[in-house]
């Protein structure tokens, strides 16, 4: 059975804001490697539209190896976008979801293949509520944003995770890898 892995960047104070963090070459390479092992990545509309930036580097490479490698990796991996407003993804490797997030994830988990990644804050919160996340990878950057969208918001109930490993980058960011502990309470 495929695993569902939630992977996201955040600040020290718990905000998910792509403008508050400044990924370096090492972090871009980390995520390019992660995407090379992905079977599919799930996005909500807002994050998906932010990620479309990488299409420009496919057409016009930047010359910075780590960014160009990440652009190539994200271009190749199939993407499913959950949106009520988008009519077209405008990306050859992306499609609009035809099912609810719960139905799609349950179906994807039963299929053979590489792991499923989710990289949108809104989807991560929904999947925590549904107890469908198998691994949580939080890349915490050494930045205090002071405001923004908190990763964990509007969760009723509690899910306990256990730390399984860490990865430290030379620039000070750290990835915390968690898996759900056996004890789960309803997040409804």
């Amino acid at each position: 059975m495929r695993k569902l892995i939630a992977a996201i960047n955040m600040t020290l104070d718990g905000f998910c804001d792509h403008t508050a963090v400044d990924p370096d070459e090492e972090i871009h390479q980390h995520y390019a490697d992660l995407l090379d092992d992905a079977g599919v990545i799930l996005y909500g509309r807002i994050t998906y539209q932010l990620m479309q930036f990488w299409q420009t580097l496919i057409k016009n490479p930047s010359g910075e190896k780590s960014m160009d490698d990440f652009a190539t990796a994200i271009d190749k991996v199939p993407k499913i976008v959950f949106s009520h407003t988008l009519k077209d993804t405008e990306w050859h490797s992306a499609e609009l979801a035809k099912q609810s997030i719960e139905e799609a994830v349950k179906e994807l988990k039963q299929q053979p293949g590489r792991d499923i990644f989710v990289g949108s804050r809104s989807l991560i919160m929904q999947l925590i509520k549904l107890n469908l996340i198998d691994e949580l990878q939080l890349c915490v950057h050494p930045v205090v944003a002071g405001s923004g969208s908190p990763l964990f918001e509007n969760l009723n109930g509690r899910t306990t995770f256990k730390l399984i490993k860490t990865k430290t980058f030379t620039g000070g960011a750290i990835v915390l890898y968690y898996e759900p502990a056996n004890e789960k309470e309803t997040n409804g």
Side-chain angles (χ1 to χ4, degrees), residues 8 43-45 47 82 120-127 151:
I8 197 160
Y43 286 121
R45 179 191 56 82
T47 306
F82 293 85
S120 290
R121 172 188 166 273
S122 62
L123 296 183
I124 291 171
M125 287 187 299
Q126 290 176 56
L127 293 164
L151 175 56

Side-chain angles (χ1 to χ4, degrees), residues 49 84 115 159:
Q49 288 178 317
H84 297 293
D115 291 331
T159 302

Side-chain angles (χ1 to χ4, degrees), residues 40-105:
V40 64
I41 188 162
L42 312 178
Y43 286 121
R45 179 191 56 82
I46 294 170
T47 306
Y48 174 72
Q49 288 178 317
L50 287 169
M51 299 311 279
Q52 285 182 300
F53 159 79
W54 297 100
Q55 288 180 294
T56 61
L57 295 185
I58 294 298
K59 297 172 188 160
N60 299 302
S62 70
E64 187 177 319
K65 184 180 178 343
S66 66
M67 288 184 68
D68 294 342
D69 287 351
F70 181 84
T72 299
I74 198 163
D75 187 56
K76 287 188 300 189
V77 69
K79 291 164 272 305
I80 300 174
V81 183
F82 293 85
S83 172
H84 297 293
T85 57
L86 283 181
K87 302 294 180 224
D88 185 0
T89 63
E90 299 175 1
W91 198 340
H92 71 92
S93 57
E95 66 180 59
L96 292 170
K98 297 170 183 69
Q99 302 168 290
S100 71
I101 184 74
E102 181 176 19
E103 294 168 329
V105 167

Side-chain angles (χ1 to χ4, degrees), residues 2-8 30-44 47 74 77-82 101 105 108-109 113-120 123-124 127 132-138 175 177:
R2 297 162 94 178
K3 283 182 14 179
L4 177 72
I5 300 170
I8 197 160
H30 166 78
Y31 282 110
D33 294 344
L34 197 68
L35 289 175
D36 281 340
D37 290 331
V40 64
I41 188 162
L42 312 178
Y43 286 121
T47 306
I74 198 163
V77 69
K79 291 164 272 305
I80 300 174
V81 183
F82 293 85
I101 184 74
V105 167
L108 286 167
K109 281 183 154 196
R114 294 179 175 181
D115 291 331
I116 307 152
F117 284 84
V118 58
S120 290
L123 296 183
I124 291 171
L127 293 164
L132 290 174
I133 292 180
D134 299 304
E135 186 175 303
L136 190 58
Q137 296 180 11
L138 303 176
V175 180
Y177 296 81

Side-chain angles (χ1 to χ4, degrees), residues 3-20:
K3 283 182 14 179
L4 177 72
I5 300 170
I8 197 160
N9 290 291
M10 62 190 297
T11 62
L12 279 173
D13 51 347
F15 294 111
C16 297
D17 180 347
H18 294 285
T19 64

